[in-house]
Amino acid sequence: MKDRAYYEANPWDRSEDQSFLRIYDTETDEVTTAAEYDTLIEAPNWTQDGRALIFNRHGRMARLELATGEEREIETGFADNCNNDHVLSPDGKFLAVSHGTREDGRSRVYVLPIGGGIPRLVTPLGPSYLHGWSPDGKTLAYCAERGGEFDVYTVPAEGGVETRLTESEGLNDGPEYAPDGSIWFNSVRSGLMQVWKMNADGSSQTQMTFHGDRNSWFPHVSPDGRKVLYLSYRSGDVKPGEHVPHKWVDLCLMNTDGSGFSILRTLFGGQGTVNVNSWAPNSRRFAFVEYRIRGIGTL
């Protein structure tokens, strides 16, 4: 029987995960539950019309209608190994996913209609983990491993030659566009994982968090460009380059100038909680996933 000691030693075993899809209201601090699942779901995206949340489950993509609770699978054709790195196009017409191919198991980026369809390959090289779609709809931003180094890259959404934007030693991950076209990401270059931002061409890379006691991941700028949501691990719980599941983590909020830091909620989660942008279009609410281990609860 799997006990607490087993999961502490094997955090990536998620076969007994239970998932709670929650919504946080930043004006009232109220948390509501949109749905509960007796299995693993990850990384909600909020649709541009405000009506639904899209997330990955068992390699496929699903859509939950918030008003009715109706849920359906989004047809992704051969892409049946989608991970938690997926985004929606600015016009709400397309879904881009990261899918581990059968040939080598490496994640690559594909684009398909929001209602489902046959995916179109964008990044022939792998692994590539998608995180951002530019406001003008022309460019995708992703983390990729090339030659043993994980860095931030961009590529035309229609496909083409990729551009490397970061070259610092260590992991650079989670690149996401802000409404002003800048790219926010997280990097271990300072020792701990911190939040950074840069221009769309990779210039002016600027550190935005300076935490000495936490590793900060996956910055998500609100649609109004005023706030940044991100996930943080306590520095003693993980190595700086790790974003494992089954950990107590904090959902943090700050202003886009780096001021006004606050911890909104402490929860059992980590990988899958807020890997991608989950802000509602009104910049007031965001979605996240909290977890429990069946028969154990939390560690």
Side-chain angles (χ1 to χ4, degrees):
M1 180 178 178
K2 298 176 182 178
D3 56 12
R4 291 176 184 271
Y6 169 84
Y7 284 105
E8 288 173 353
N10 299 276
W12 289 103
D13 183 346
R14 311 199 70 180
S15 59
E16 300 298 325
D17 272 32
Q18 298 172 304
S19 308
F20 303 84
L21 182 55
R22 317 257 199 220
I23 294 174
Y24 190 101
D25 189 314
T26 61
E27 292 189 7
T28 65
D29 292 325
E30 180 183 15
V31 176
T32 57
T33 301
E36 299 182 9
Y37 299 90
D38 203 34
T39 188
L40 174 68
I41 72 163
E42 297 179 295
N45 298 123
W46 209 306
T47 59
Q48 276 76 352
D49 60 12
R51 297 178 180 177
L53 295 173
I54 291 176
F55 52 89
N56 61 288
R57 176 177 57 197
H58 299 310
R60 293 290 190 175
M61 302 300 300
R63 177 184 175 115
L64 174 70
E65 301 295 333
L66 292 172
T68 63
E70 179 185 359
E71 184 181 320
R72 66 175 180 85
E73 183 176 296
I74 298 173
E75 176 57 48
T76 56
F78 61 82
D80 58 1
N81 192 23
C82 298
N83 57 49
N84 48 42
D85 295 324
H86 42 78
V87 299
L88 309 182
S89 63
D91 61 10
K93 295 181 180 180
F94 296 95
L95 168 65
V97 300
S98 303
H99 157 68
T101 60
R102 290 187 178 90
E103 291 76 14
D104 58 11
R106 292 190 169 195
S107 176
R108 290 172 172 84
V109 177
Y110 300 78
V111 172
L112 63 144
I114 189 70
I118 301 301
R120 171 178 57 83
L121 178 64
V122 180
T123 60
L125 298 178
S128 301
Y129 302 97
L130 179 67
H131 284 273
W133 202 318
S134 64
D136 63 7
K138 296 181 179 180
T139 309
L140 300 178
Y142 52 101
C143 170
E145 183 268 317
R146 306 286 184 260
E149 289 291 334
F150 282 89
D151 280 290
V152 173
Y153 289 78
T154 59
V155 68
E158 295 301 317
V161 178
E162 65 182 15
T163 301
R164 181 179 179 180
L165 299 187
T166 61
E167 296 185 1
S168 64
E169 185 177 349
L171 178 61
N172 298 277
D173 198 357
E176 187 174 298
Y177 287 92
D180 66 2
S182 62
I183 295 176
W184 289 67
F185 64 105
N186 45 274
S187 175
V188 297
R189 66 186 71 178
S190 66
L192 294 178
M193 187 64 79
Q194 304 283 1
V195 172
W196 289 67
K197 73 173 183 177
M198 60 183 164
N199 295 330
D201 62 1
S203 62
S204 300
Q205 298 186 18
T206 305
Q207 186 173 343
M208 298 303 296
T209 62
F210 298 85
H211 302 303
D213 60 348
R214 61 183 65 241
N215 290 290
S216 299
W217 287 81
F218 306 131
H220 307 308
V221 180
S222 58
D224 62 10
R226 298 175 58 190
K227 298 181 286 289
V228 184
L229 169 71
Y230 59 97
L231 178 81
S232 73
Y233 295 84
R234 316 295 168 80
S235 60
D237 289 348
V238 295
K239 297 176 182 177
E242 290 182 331
H243 54 100
V244 296
H246 298 160
K247 293 290 184 181
W248 286 97
V249 295
D250 296 322
L251 291 178
C252 302
L253 193 70
M254 69 178 181
N255 299 324
T256 48
D257 64 1
S259 67
F261 166 78
S262 63
I263 296 174
L264 299 180
R265 184 176 177 89
T266 300
L267 58 94
F268 189 68
Q271 175 77 322
T273 293
V274 285
N275 287 58
V276 292
N277 195 305
S278 58
W279 281 101
N282 64 7
S283 298
R284 173 174 172 169
R285 298 183 295 166
F286 63 83
F288 65 97
V289 186
E290 194 164 356
Y291 298 100
R292 295 290 184 272
I293 303 172
R294 186 181 296 106
I296 293 178
T298 63
L299 302 180

